[in-house]
Amino acid sequence: MAKRLKPVDVVVVGSSWAGGVVSAELSKAGYKVVCLERGPKRVLEDFTGVKDELRFTNRFELMQNLSHETITSRSNIDEVALPVRTREEMMAGTGAGAGSVHWAGATYRYWPYDFEIYSQTVKRYGKNKIPEGMMLQDWGVTYKEMEPYYERWEKTAGISGERDPLGERKSDYPNPPLKESPPIKLFKQAAKNLGYNPYQVPSANVSQRYENPDGEVINACMYCAFCTQYGCDFGAKSDSLVTVIPTAQKTGNFELRTESYVRRVLHKGGKATGVMYVDTKTGQEYEQPAKVIVLGAFTFTNNRLLLLSGIGQPYDPKTRQGVIGRNYNGQFNITFRGARGFFNDKKFNLYAGAGALGGTFNDLNADNFDHSNLDFIHGGAVELRQYGDGAIASNHVPAGTPAWGPEFKKKSIHYAHRNVVVWYTPAIMSWWHNYVDLDPTYKDDFGDPLLRVTYKYTDQDRAIAKFGVEKCAEIVKEMGADIVDKDDIPQEFDHIYQGGHYAGGVIMGSDPSTSALNNYLQMWDMENLFVVGASAFPHFGGHHPTATVGALAYRASEGIEKYLKKGGMLTEAKKSNIA
């Protein structure tokens, strides 16, 4: 039987950027906040001296153990979904700081086009540009409204960067960009030669010691190359462990409870009353009452908790009605496709690097180029990243090289520091047949249904990926590569969830019939329940999602404060612009 605990003002589920920002802002405002994190306690000292590629890159030590809870996956609505069983197939962060601990650090804002994608597409190209079945809709908020929240998050995180020549921002980044290495210089020059506008990738690997507005110190990046899938023992990669979590803890109004697995949002009479969770160390169930509930977890968790709790109308692909599970999207194996160049006479130091050390340009992103004669909408960023090659994972050889033997050995040694990759990060649109619901067969350790993902690629996905690969190959050729190998375009979804960038299912908008949340991420159906994170994205833009998650978290925090003072819905419902 669940043990009832003392009520608090706010319960937050999840301790990454979404849950962390909300926890810090509401604690600073004087509210009593409890944050529940399913994974173990983590502090920076846990990562001291830990530069172990085998443990973290190959064995995924920071990721969720899928034997307790996972997802099931299928491509079509008439198929039986099967569980995703290994961390090679799906990465999901867990533990204090969660996904913010193991992220690379690339930090982009979404474009004005993203927030009004339906309206702007129809205005420029007409309704016929939108294919039947594409669930294209405006977000219910504009870039102009979002910019102050982007700026707040960038200052909290100490983002290092330079202005995008094509971008719209009022202020500079709080820190200068990371160093421009020889491969980045070569990439930028090649891009300029072809008429593009390159700049340095904005980075949460901080370029200099920085104290943020809350007084938290982030150290300077050492270019050690252990960023992606690692915690930063230098405290030089901005995550919730070095920013918003300690800020919340200093207020005396905040408690972080780790190894606390939330199973239900409790509700009565149209309002949330608390959450039910299990202490996974003891097996004890607890009921934590609160005035406001915030789901600030991973996309899969936010969706699953609403479905398990019976909150909101589940999406039905046959009628295309319902809102929970709708517009599932994200970056899959068809994204991050591009071209790798091999050089005979140029040699680079590829062991040095950082998660977001790189060059990029946005001339082929959003609606920054004419789509009139193209068979897709939106676009993506072109990037070169110098992550820092690992000794195990780095063994690139030109296509056609045998997979073993003397020739392989000779070429792998020769090209170890003589290759670069340029990739495209295309936007992913939402479709009527891509959604999430509860699996009728498979369950977790507690007997609760797993989340089921139904997803397949479309002609739009394949067309935009092909376009990006060709453009990347042109860049690599212009860089002077002697051999240019282009990535193949996968025709069908392979059920690999490796990127960690998944979104939608609990989307924001202005119309309760097509969205679950208003533009403060407040549930239309339950006014004291807020759902914060990438699960709110109606589509996935042509960039990494973290800055937009952080900005939305600041906006949601503002809305929650308003709600705690006055109650009621924070925005009025209206008919949305939607395909």
Side-chain angles (χ1 to χ4, degrees):
M1 184 175 178
K3 181 179 179 181
R4 184 178 172 87
L5 301 174
K6 181 180 178 181
V8 296
D9 294 314
V10 182
V11 167
V12 178
V13 180
S15 64
S16 189
W17 278 118
V21 166
V22 172
S23 295
E25 290 303 293
L26 296 178
S27 298
K28 285 158 53 181
Y31 296 103
K32 295 296 182 182
V33 179
V34 167
C35 180
L36 301 173
E37 166 59 49
R38 69 183 176 190
K41 178 182 177 181
R42 287 204 178 101
V43 293
L44 286 188
E45 289 72 20
D46 294 337
F47 308 117
T48 301
V50 180
K51 309 291 186 185
D52 193 328
E53 187 183 359
L54 188 63
R55 282 177 61 188
F56 295 100
T57 299
N58 294 77
R59 295 177 178 168
F60 308 100
E61 192 167 297
L62 288 181
M63 308 305 165
Q64 177 185 339
N65 184 344
L66 302 183
S67 67
H68 302 298
E69 179 218 331
T70 184
I71 61 171
T72 65
S73 185
R74 63 181 183 174
S75 294
N76 297 295
I77 61 176
D78 57 351
E79 294 176 349
V80 175
L82 296 175
V84 177
R85 290 297 191 191
T86 72
R87 288 183 282 193
E88 287 184 333
E89 297 168 299
M90 186 179 85
M91 286 196 310
T94 193
S100 75
V101 172
H102 71 78
W103 75 310
T107 307
Y108 299 95
R109 297 180 180 186
Y110 276 9
W111 289 80
Y113 175 71
D114 284 300
F115 297 103
E116 300 174 277
I117 188 169
Y118 175 83
S119 299
Q120 292 193 24
T121 300
V122 170
K123 182 179 179 180
R124 185 171 182 181
Y125 304 106
K127 289 185 178 181
N128 290 338
K129 185 66 175 176
I130 304 170
E132 197 285 322
M134 181 184 284
M135 309 276 271
L136 199 69
Q137 62 191 82
D138 294 344
W139 288 38
V141 69
T142 65
Y143 176 82
K144 184 177 180 180
E145 292 171 305
M146 285 298 299
E147 183 165 29
Y149 306 107
Y150 273 121
E151 186 173 328
R152 285 183 68 184
W153 182 80
E154 288 165 355
K155 288 180 177 178
T156 294
I159 301 305
S160 300
E162 61 183 351
R163 286 177 179 262
D164 178 354
L166 303 182
E168 297 183 26
R169 57 180 302 127
K170 294 180 179 178
S171 62
D172 291 333
Y173 287 101
N175 286 302
L178 294 176
K179 295 181 183 299
E180 191 179 65
S181 68
I184 297 170
K185 290 179 181 178
L186 196 61
F187 167 84
K188 286 183 174 180
Q189 188 57 56
K192 289 177 182 177
N193 292 347
L194 294 175
Y196 300 123
N197 294 276
Y199 68 107
Q200 202 81 358
V201 172
S203 171
N205 321 117
V206 180
S207 61
Q208 61 187 8
R209 185 183 183 276
Y210 172 75
E211 183 175 328
N212 77 8
D214 292 317
E216 309 302 341
V217 173
I218 310 168
N219 293 317
C221 178
M222 305 295 287
Y223 301 92
C224 75
F226 289 86
C227 294
T228 307
Q229 300 173 324
Y230 300 83
C232 181
D233 57 335
F234 297 126
K237 179 173 68 174
S238 189
D239 57 33
S240 65
L241 287 186
V242 297
T243 57
V244 287
I245 295 298
T247 295
Q249 290 170 330
K250 289 173 184 176
T251 67
N253 296 320
F254 172 79
E255 180 185 357
L256 174 62
R257 297 177 193 161
T258 55
E259 298 179 279
S260 299
Y261 184 89
V262 179
R263 292 183 58 199
R264 295 291 188 281
V265 176
L266 306 175
H267 54 98
K268 184 177 181 180
K271 283 194 173 184
T273 59
V275 299
M276 187 271 281
Y277 73 95
V278 178
D279 183 329
T280 55
K281 300 186 299 294
T282 66
Q284 175 66 52
E285 286 188 354
Y286 292 97
E287 178 184 338
Q288 178 60 69
K291 296 175 184 176
V292 169
I293 311 301
V294 180
L295 302 185
F298 193 46
T299 290
F300 294 149
T301 300
N302 287 349
N303 275 274
R304 184 168 180 252
L305 279 174
L306 291 175
L307 291 166
L308 288 173
S309 304
I311 298 172
Q313 182 184 356
Y315 173 71
D316 182 349
K318 294 179 180 178
T319 64
R320 303 190 189 182
Q321 301 298 307
V323 293
I324 307 301
R326 170 195 179 101
N327 282 51
Y328 173 69
N329 58 80
Q331 292 180 317
F332 299 91
N333 199 25
I334 203 166
T335 55
F336 301 106
R337 295 274 157 171
R340 185 175 296 275
F342 296 88
F343 299 82
N344 292 329
D345 299 321
K346 286 187 175 70
K347 193 171 184 180
F348 313 108
N349 176 14
L350 298 179
Y351 282 132
L357 177 63
T360 187
F361 62 82
N362 282 305
D363 301 73
L364 305 176
N365 202 351
D367 203 33
N368 296 336
F369 58 111
D370 186 11
H371 290 71
S372 297
N373 297 318
L374 297 173
D375 52 355
F376 60 87
I377 64 169
H378 211 302
V382 176
E383 286 187 347
L384 178 144
R385 294 270 204 101
Q386 188 171 335
Y387 287 100
D389 284 351
I392 299 173
S394 306
N395 221 341
H396 301 294
V397 292
T401 303
W404 62 281
E407 184 181 354
F408 170 78
K409 184 176 181 180
K410 179 181 178 180
K411 289 186 176 179
S412 67
I413 293 171
H414 177 74
Y415 289 115
H417 291 283
R418 292 183 173 93
N419 75 92
V420 298
V421 63
V422 175
W423 63 32
Y424 194 55
T425 59
I428 302 297
M429 301 297 102
S430 299
W431 298 81
W432 71 270
H433 48 70
N434 293 339
Y435 68 102
V436 297
D437 63 354
L438 293 178
D439 193 279
T441 304
Y442 294 97
K443 304 180 186 301
D444 67 7
D445 282 354
F446 298 101
D448 291 330
L450 298 180
L451 190 73
R452 177 173 63 180
V453 176
T454 305
Y455 192 86
K456 62 181 177 181
Y457 295 148
T458 65
D459 290 341
Q460 152 89 18
D461 298 320
R462 289 180 281 267
I464 195 171
K466 182 179 179 181
F467 171 86
V469 166
E470 295 300 327
K471 297 300 182 181
C472 291
E474 292 173 7
I475 295 289
V476 173
K477 183 178 180 180
E478 184 66 24
M479 290 174 70
D482 297 287
I483 300 170
V484 179
D485 285 344
K486 295 189 289 187
D487 287 335
D488 295 328
I489 306 301
Q491 296 303 299
E492 304 298 336
F493 180 44
D494 58 5
H495 306 283
I496 301 296
Y497 296 81
Q498 260 297 332
H501 297 164
Y502 311 114
V506 194
I507 66 172
M508 61 190 294
S510 58
D511 185 346
S513 70
T514 58
S515 61
L517 313 172
N518 64 23
N519 60 27
Y520 284 99
L521 309 191
Q522 180 185 32
M523 286 283 297
W524 290 114
D525 291 345
M526 196 164 287
E527 65 179 36
N528 67 332
L529 176 59
F530 292 74
V531 186
V532 185
S535 53
F537 293 11
H539 73 274
F540 205 98
H543 281 312
H544 299 60
T546 309
T548 303
V549 170
L552 286 172
Y554 273 108
R555 181 173 173 84
S557 300
E558 184 179 285
I560 295 166
E561 279 197 64
K562 291 179 181 179
Y563 177 81
L564 284 165
K565 291 174 181 176
K566 296 183 179 180
M569 294 303 298
L570 299 172
T571 63
E572 293 183 3
K574 59 182 179 180
K575 191 68 176 177
S576 65
N577 287 328
I578 180 172

